[in-house]
Amino acid sequence: MVLEELKLTNFRNFPKAVFKLSRATTVLYGRNGSGKSNLLEAVYLLATGGSLRAHLEAEMINEKESFASVAGRLAEVTKAEIIKKDPQEEKTLVPKLLKLEVTLIRPVEVPSPSAKSRKRFKVSGIPRLRRDFAGRLRAVLFSPEQIGLVVSDPSYRRSHFDLVLSQVDSKYIMALAAYEKARAQRNRLLYQVKLLAANVYELSYWEGIMVINSVIVNKARENYVEFVNKYLITNRQRFEKLGYFKLIYHPNPLTPERFSQYRDREIQAEKTLIGPHRDDFQFLDVQINPDKETDLRRFGSRGQQRLAVFALKMAEWNFLKVSGPSPIILLDDIFSELDEAHRQIVLANLAGQQAVLTTAEEGVANSILKGLPLIRL
């Protein structure tokens, strides 16, 4: 799947803009604040239906407007039935166009700054639910701020799980949505139980829904971490200059027994204290001697942490590629933070793939990325 054109309307600092992308690597060059990261965010929105940058989706809408839209034209390659002179000849691959569109609508009923925007998804003009939209285009985003995957709080790492898995697993999206809906209902009920306005036994209905869906969520996350670790081991020599890293998944499973154990504390807290919404994972730097494995969050240098995230992103790219079309790689101003050796590792991993790179340094654009298609902002 190749993204050929990107059209933005009222999206962040772009009132209206159209960009043509190369089927190989496109360079976005511009000063800080010109909108390079916003462009990558728009592509990622088309892939996942969500944003890794925005705390509130309404932030993606130009502050003077009531809506924003992102549309992408994709070239999909499918096998076509055609007449051949030689019956042994393989079927020719022909392009088929696909259009993706996300519309964000600013809430007007509730003027609170925390109010959520509404989203509408379309595939070739036909309305779709997010679970049927995400994954038509697949994308891997790597930016300096994603060092937060190592050093930030667990919610940032959980969002990584959700944005990756939403591109390949519609069951995961449905299970996560059902889990969160049941958790919200249970939290409201916990408050009522505390006020003696509801019976504690009413909690069991929502707990049953949460347990069933938490199993699906935990298993998908576990499988993803297993894939990443297997990839990092298999490609150890490829990332030799980066060090050798692995992930440790810390699930927070749900069972009826755990609900009983935590019930009194949850009633007092008026919220659910256990479950996948408390999951986490950590990076370990693996040495030859396993006894010397170190937690990168506590003991890794900033360079080690940044390069560990890059290794994770290449594993993520392969995870998405295994189950569908090759993802587009989005690299946001990372060359300014890497030395020459690590820049070459990054470029070598991009060979033959569609990628969009951003830089604010003219020297990087004119030397390291010289000869690649360039968009100036």
Side-chain angles (χ1 to χ4, degrees):
M1 187 68 66
V2 178
L3 180 61
E4 294 186 324
E5 181 182 275
L6 185 68
K7 182 178 181 181
L8 308 179
T9 305
N10 301 332
F11 186 84
R12 291 201 181 267
N13 67 318
F14 294 100
K16 186 169 289 189
V18 178
F19 300 95
K20 306 286 185 181
L21 301 180
S22 165
R23 290 187 170 224
T25 299
T26 303
V27 178
L28 300 178
Y29 167 68
R31 295 175 301 175
N32 291 330
S34 61
K36 302 184 303 296
S37 298
N38 296 345
L39 264 173
L40 298 191
E41 181 183 31
V43 176
Y44 203 68
L45 179 64
L46 285 179
T48 66
S51 171
L52 195 60
R53 295 176 63 215
H55 296 292
L56 293 171
E57 290 175 339
E59 294 174 2
M60 292 185 281
I61 305 173
N62 187 291
E63 60 182 10
K64 298 179 181 179
E65 304 295 340
S66 60
F67 81 97
S69 72
V70 177
R73 190 182 73 223
L74 284 64
E76 183 181 35
V77 179
T78 58
K79 287 189 176 181
E81 296 286 348
I82 60 174
I83 299 175
K84 293 292 183 182
K85 293 181 180 180
D86 183 356
Q88 300 302 318
E89 187 177 352
E90 291 185 1
K91 295 174 182 179
T92 301
L93 296 179
V94 296
K96 177 182 177 182
L97 294 180
L98 188 69
K99 183 179 180 181
L100 301 179
E101 184 176 0
V102 181
T103 300
L104 303 166
I105 304 171
R106 190 185 302 281
V108 292
E109 300 87 354
V110 184
S112 167
S114 63
K116 294 183 178 180
S117 66
R118 290 177 291 161
K119 283 188 291 189
R120 300 288 183 266
F121 302 100
K122 288 184 179 180
V123 177
S124 294
I126 301 174
R128 300 286 189 184
L129 297 175
R130 180 183 175 183
R131 66 171 181 261
D132 300 318
F133 176 90
R136 304 288 184 128
L137 170 69
R138 298 182 177 190
V140 174
L141 172 65
F142 180 37
S143 64
E145 65 191 38
Q146 286 188 311
I147 196 173
L149 287 169
V150 180
V151 301
S152 224
D153 58 54
S155 64
Y156 192 87
R157 288 183 284 278
R158 286 192 295 272
S159 70
H160 173 75
F161 276 143
D162 298 341
L163 290 168
V164 174
L165 293 170
S166 68
Q167 297 184 62
V168 300
D169 191 349
S170 61
K171 290 183 180 179
Y172 180 87
I173 298 176
M174 291 187 287
L176 186 63
Y179 172 84
E180 291 296 348
K181 181 178 180 180
R183 182 165 72 96
Q185 294 288 348
R186 184 175 185 270
N187 287 347
R188 280 192 281 269
L189 194 55
L190 286 168
Y191 172 72
Q192 293 175 337
V193 169
K194 184 178 180 179
L195 296 179
L196 303 179
N199 193 305
V200 70
Y201 296 108
E202 295 179 49
L203 294 168
S204 61
Y205 173 77
W206 299 110
E207 290 170 357
I209 296 175
M210 292 173 69
V211 168
I212 291 172
N213 288 285
S214 69
V215 172
I216 298 172
V217 171
N218 286 143
K219 186 61 179 176
R221 292 174 176 178
E222 179 185 347
N223 290 342
Y224 172 63
V225 171
E226 287 180 358
F227 181 96
V228 169
N229 287 331
K230 183 177 180 180
Y231 172 83
L232 293 177
I233 292 173
T234 304
N235 293 273
R236 184 169 183 172
Q237 290 184 337
R238 188 179 189 184
F239 296 105
E240 189 172 10
K241 293 182 180 180
L242 309 184
Y244 173 43
F245 312 101
K246 73 175 182 180
L247 299 187
I248 301 296
Y249 176 39
H250 300 293
N252 199 313
L254 284 183
T255 63
E257 293 73 23
R258 291 195 79 206
F259 270 130
S260 297
Q261 179 184 354
Y262 281 82
R263 184 159 291 134
D264 290 342
R265 275 176 279 179
E266 291 181 327
I267 290 173
Q268 293 305 312
E270 302 170 13
K271 63 181 180 180
T272 303
L273 301 176
I274 55 175
H277 65 287
R278 294 296 183 95
D279 280 2
D280 197 4
F281 66 85
Q282 69 180 133
F283 288 81
L284 292 184
D285 182 9
V286 182
Q287 307 297 327
I288 296 176
N289 183 350
D291 293 335
K292 294 183 180 179
E293 293 181 358
T294 56
D295 181 355
L296 283 185
R297 180 177 185 177
R298 297 179 61 194
F299 302 108
S301 68
R302 191 164 182 87
Q304 285 179 304
Q305 293 168 346
R306 185 181 301 111
L307 293 168
V309 173
F310 175 71
L312 170 62
K313 288 296 174 177
M314 293 312 302
E316 176 189 338
W317 181 84
N318 278 271
F319 177 78
L320 296 176
K321 183 180 178 182
V322 164
S323 59
S326 182
I328 183 172
I329 301 174
L330 310 172
L331 300 179
D332 193 5
D333 199 23
I334 67 166
F335 287 93
S336 60
E337 301 196 24
L338 298 177
D339 59 28
E340 181 61 27
H342 291 128
R343 288 170 175 173
Q344 294 307 317
I345 291 174
V346 172
L347 290 173
N349 279 278
L350 298 182
Q353 313 302 326
Q354 186 179 27
V356 181
L357 318 179
T358 75
T359 183
E361 297 184 25
E362 190 171 0
V364 171
N366 292 335
S367 57
I368 302 169
L369 305 176
K370 185 178 181 180
L372 297 176
L374 180 69
I375 296 176
R376 292 181 178 271
L377 297 180

